[in-house]
Amino acid sequence: MLMMATTTTATASAPSSSSSSSLPLLPAEAGAASNAAAEAAFAATLPQQQLQLDAATLSISAIKENYETTSDSNYELFKLLYDGLLAHAPLPAIFDAAARESRTVRVLDASGSSMSWAVEFAKAYPCAEVVVLNPITTREDAPTNVTIARGPAQNVPFPDKHFDLLHSYGVFIAQPAKETDSILTEFKRVVRPGGFVELYEPYAIIQRCGPLGRSLNDAVVAAFDILKAKARIALDLDDLLYSHGLGAVDEGNRAVTIVPSDPQLGDACYQHLRSIFLAMGPLLAALGLFSEDALRDTMDRARDEFQELQSYHNWFYAVGQVA
């Protein structure tokens, strides 16, 4: 198994306000929500009747739809995180292999988001066929080599060995944990031998934070517990690939200091987190953790705390090749 060095260090020097390099994941220092025992104890305090929430509220897909339809900061942050890089999979090797076999490169964007990544990829590689699975919003400026497909991630509506590259951003954190294996099995099925699956996932816990940040972390942990989802799925990406027979090609972690005064990456990180928390507002209100007004106020007041403590957020990626 590939080991992410950033997960093994317990302490770190404070980054500069413009830092975007990898920082360690902090255990106890990150607050109660980053400690497994504390998380379990906190979740146990939730009234049992809260499990009887309305199905529409009790849905990560509803949260994701709310987020995606009100903000495109997800893809904007992706571009800033990776300096405009569209993929960590070896694109020259993918296109060279297709050219040798006189076939078209086929790409599946399984993220189910705003289509922004797919549109950018299709414009950069007009000879490729790009399919977007279940986009929440559509793009009028999508080039002709972009098409849309509908179907569950557990049953992708394409034949075996169809795609050369499958791109997935934020898919697994947005699924119940019990669905993880079936989705990745399906992703592997539709990628041809020699093709690549690349996974990008955020780590849901804010690192190096104070009381306001910890209250937000606690809310996320409680929500993920109710939704039976994995707040730490980002830490398991290499394990996911290996357990499904995909050979790991590349992996990494980007840690971004949340600095709202930074006009570029730091501010984009803050706006991204703010949009996610506000999208979770109806669920957190239903759980009795935050009213939507209190959530908005807490997120606004957390700006100064994040900046003072040099709080940061982590994104992980892993690329696997199908044998």
Side-chain angles (χ1 to χ4, degrees), residues 62-64 66-67 70 274-283 295:
I63 293 170
K64 190 174 182 182
N66 188 16
Y67 168 77
T70 58
R274 187 176 189 277
S275 294
I276 289 176
F277 277 109
L278 295 183
M280 294 176 67
L283 173 60
L295 178 62

Side-chain angles (χ1 to χ4, degrees), residues 89-91 93-94 163-167 191-192 194-198 246-247 249 319-322:
L91 296 180
I94 291 173
F163 294 100
D164 298 275
L165 170 65
L166 187 148
H167 171 87
V191 174
R192 63 188 300 117
F196 297 87
V197 175
E198 57 178 22
L246 287 98
V249 173
V319 181
Q321 186 171 27
V322 176

Side-chain angles (χ1 to χ4, degrees), residues 122-310:
K123 288 180 177 179
Y125 299 95
C127 59
E129 294 178 1
V130 182
V131 178
V132 187
L133 185 65
N134 302 323
I136 291 171
T137 58
T138 57
R139 291 275 298 267
E140 292 183 359
D141 64 333
T144 57
N145 57 326
V146 175
T147 57
I148 292 173
R150 301 288 180 185
Q154 298 88 338
N155 187 19
V156 178
F158 288 93
D160 295 355
K161 306 174 184 178
H162 188 76
F163 294 100
D164 298 275
L165 170 65
L166 187 148
H167 171 87
S168 164
Y169 184 92
V171 168
F172 291 96
I173 200 172
Q175 295 290 341
K178 65 180 181 180
E179 303 291 348
T180 298
D181 286 339
S182 60
I183 291 173
L184 192 53
T185 297
E186 188 68 355
F187 283 2
K188 179 184 176 184
R189 178 188 69 80
V190 298
V191 174
R192 63 188 300 117
F196 297 87
V197 175
E198 57 178 22
L199 310 177
Y200 297 85
E201 297 290 340
Y203 182 65
I205 309 302
I206 300 168
Q207 301 287 294
R208 191 185 285 128
C209 57
L212 294 173
R214 285 195 292 271
S215 70
L216 294 168
N217 279 347
D218 284 345
V220 168
V221 168
F224 273 71
D225 181 73
I226 292 293
L227 295 166
K228 308 301 181 186
K230 295 181 69 175
R232 288 182 173 74
I233 191 68
L235 304 182
D236 299 331
L237 297 185
D238 55 344
D239 284 335
L240 282 175
L241 294 175
Y242 274 107
S243 65
H244 288 78
L246 287 98
V249 173
D250 190 15
E251 54 82 30
N253 165 30
R254 290 298 306 273
V256 182
T257 309
I258 309 168
V259 184
S261 62
D262 183 336
Q264 291 294 319
L265 189 53
D267 185 64
C269 181
Y270 172 78
Q271 295 300 335
H272 171 77
L273 289 173
R274 187 176 189 277
S275 294
I276 289 176
F277 277 109
L278 295 183
M280 294 176 67
L283 173 60
L284 299 181
L287 292 173
L289 298 171
F290 279 102
S291 69
E292 293 193 58
D293 287 342
L295 178 62
R296 189 181 301 272
D297 177 67
T298 300
M299 199 66 208
D300 289 343
R301 290 189 295 117
R303 290 173 61 99
D304 292 338
E305 180 181 279
F306 292 158
Q307 189 157 357
E308 179 181 356
L309 297 176
Q310 297 284 277

Side-chain angles (χ1 to χ4, degrees), residues 16-166:
S16 67
S17 61
S18 60
S19 173
S20 62
S21 59
S22 293
L23 296 169
L25 293 174
L26 307 178
E29 293 84 346
S34 66
N35 179 278
E39 290 174 11
F42 179 79
T45 67
L46 295 173
Q48 289 301 306
Q49 61 267 30
Q50 290 174 344
L51 294 173
Q52 308 302 317
L53 294 174
D54 178 83
T57 302
L58 197 69
S59 166
I60 288 185
S61 61
I63 293 170
K64 190 174 182 182
E65 182 171 358
N66 188 16
Y67 168 77
E68 292 287 357
T69 54
T70 58
S71 172
D72 199 29
S73 64
N74 204 0
Y75 178 64
E76 293 305 314
L77 180 59
F78 179 90
K79 288 197 297 184
L80 289 170
L81 277 171
Y82 303 112
D83 300 319
L85 185 70
L86 284 168
H88 281 85
L91 296 180
I94 291 173
F95 281 91
D96 287 348
R100 288 194 300 270
E101 299 171 14
S102 300
R103 57 179 178 80
T104 300
V105 169
R106 294 170 174 164
V107 177
L108 177 64
D109 179 4
S111 305
S113 56
S114 64
M115 292 184 64
S116 295
W117 181 88
V119 168
E120 293 291 333
F121 191 98
K123 288 180 177 179
Y125 299 95
C127 59
E129 294 178 1
V130 182
V131 178
V132 187
L133 185 65
N134 302 323
I136 291 171
T137 58
T138 57
R139 291 275 298 267
E140 292 183 359
D141 64 333
T144 57
N145 57 326
V146 175
T147 57
I148 292 173
R150 301 288 180 185
Q154 298 88 338
N155 187 19
V156 178
F158 288 93
D160 295 355
K161 306 174 184 178
H162 188 76
F163 294 100
D164 298 275
L165 170 65
L166 187 148

